[in-house]
Amino acid sequence: MIRRLFAAAPLLLLVPCMATVVLWIRSYSHYDVIRWWNASLTHGIGATSSSTGLSFWVEIVPNGVSGPEPGVSREYLQEDRPPKSLDFEFTHGQYSGGAVEQWTLSFPHWTLALVFLVTPLIIRAVICLRNTRALPGLCRTCGYDLRASKDRCPECGTPIPAKVKA
């Protein structure tokens, strides 16, 4: 079951990669916001996609202070600025007169697309490496040719199973 999951993982990770690329292309003409507040309006999380990149934030309203009203747009800490190719930020600030604290993580779209693209390649390389080492006559640890060896791999010292000796 785990082997099948690792075989399917590279294909499954290409889906968020493509979604990120589509969101990246869309960001040049649209400004998307996803936002969620808990029922008591004391904690909120959200994400934005704009031409400057992706931003994820967490907002906390201290006890005893009323949170934002549903449907009311919030004041943003960051102004929309021209995109930069290497614009990574982690910010902390307050808005609504200091009533709401906000932590924001921002980065360009290409970094998330790159993570979702490189991860399947690494998984696929590990699978291919494991399959190569599992061939009969090769050491399962290092892949060394064991045809001329008796009881241990001369490269790494791993004991040779009885099936490989024959």
Side-chain angles (χ1 to χ4, degrees), residues 91-129:
T91 59
H92 172 257
Q94 297 178 342
Y95 69 94
S96 294
V100 179
E101 286 192 77
Q102 180 186 52
W103 291 268
T104 305
L105 174 65
S106 302
F107 49 89
H109 289 92
W110 63 264
T111 55
L112 195 58
L114 188 65
V115 166
F116 285 130
L117 187 62
V118 170
T119 305
L121 296 176
I122 292 171
I123 291 172
R124 192 39 115 179
V126 168
I127 290 171
C128 289
L129 188 61

Side-chain angles (χ1 to χ4, degrees), residues 133 135-161 164-166:
R133 289 183 182 166
L135 293 173
L138 298 181
C139 176
R140 292 188 179 264
T141 305
C142 66
Y144 189 81
D145 187 0
L146 299 174
R147 289 180 288 181
S149 304
K150 302 275 186 223
D151 20 326
R152 291 194 171 273
C153 172
E155 187 74 19
C156 67
T158 304
I160 300 172
V164 178
K165 289 181 187 177

Side-chain angles (χ1 to χ4, degrees), residues 11-80:
L11 293 175
L12 294 176
L13 285 171
L14 287 178
V15 172
C17 178
M18 293 305 296
T20 303
V21 170
V22 167
L23 192 61
W24 184 5
I25 293 168
R26 177 184 160 85
S27 72
Y28 287 99
S29 62
H30 292 81
Y31 184 83
D32 297 315
V33 178
I34 297 173
R35 183 178 171 189
W36 175 84
W37 280 88
N38 66 348
S40 61
L41 296 175
T42 57
H43 295 83
I45 59 173
T48 61
S49 172
S50 68
S51 61
T52 60
L54 295 168
S55 295
F56 298 94
W57 72 82
V58 175
E59 298 170 323
I60 297 176
V61 179
N63 290 336
V65 178
S66 61
E69 297 177 23
V72 175
S73 63
R74 66 184 193 82
E75 304 165 23
Y76 289 95
L77 290 174
Q78 303 173 14
E79 296 178 8
D80 208 19

